[in-house]
Amino acid sequence: MLLSSCVKQVKDAFDETTEALTCANRVQEFEDTNEANPDRSCTAIIADLDDLERTCRDYLSESTRQSFADLRTACSSN
């Protein structure tokens, strides 16, 4: 029983690390896409932000959340 519990904890930690890395990669891809396409529509940016915030909410740093909020504000101002 103890070994089974330990294996589950290791698997859960691995899964969480994998999810965090996946989210970090997705945020980087989002940033790269925006830098490569400065004329990208606000509709596309907001759709990506919504998706990232929904699927990666637990892994976004405070600075990333603030950057996302700033992007939303910039889109709302246009």
Side-chain angles (χ1 to χ4, degrees):
M1 182 71 168
L2 182 60
L3 180 59
S4 174
S5 175
C6 183
V7 169
K8 182 181 179 338
Q9 288 177 347
V10 169
K11 181 189 177 309
D12 290 349
F14 179 77
D15 289 347
E16 187 169 325
T17 299
T18 301
E19 287 179 37
L21 288 172
T22 298
C23 284
N25 287 334
R26 290 186 63 211
V27 169
Q28 186 62 53
E29 288 171 8
F30 170 74
E31 291 174 356
D32 292 346
T33 298
N34 288 339
E35 286 179 20
N37 303 296
D39 294 328
R40 209 165 165 239
S41 74
C42 279
T43 303
I45 291 171
I46 297 295
D48 285 349
L49 289 175
D50 289 344
D51 182 54
L52 285 167
E53 289 174 334
R54 183 179 60 256
T55 59
C56 295
R57 172 181 43 246
D58 295 339
Y59 305 105
L60 298 175
S61 68
E62 189 57 41
S63 63
T64 299
R65 290 174 199 261
Q66 185 59 53
S67 294
F68 286 4
D70 293 344
L71 278 171
R72 281 185 191 282
T73 300
C75 277
S76 297
S77 299
N78 290 336

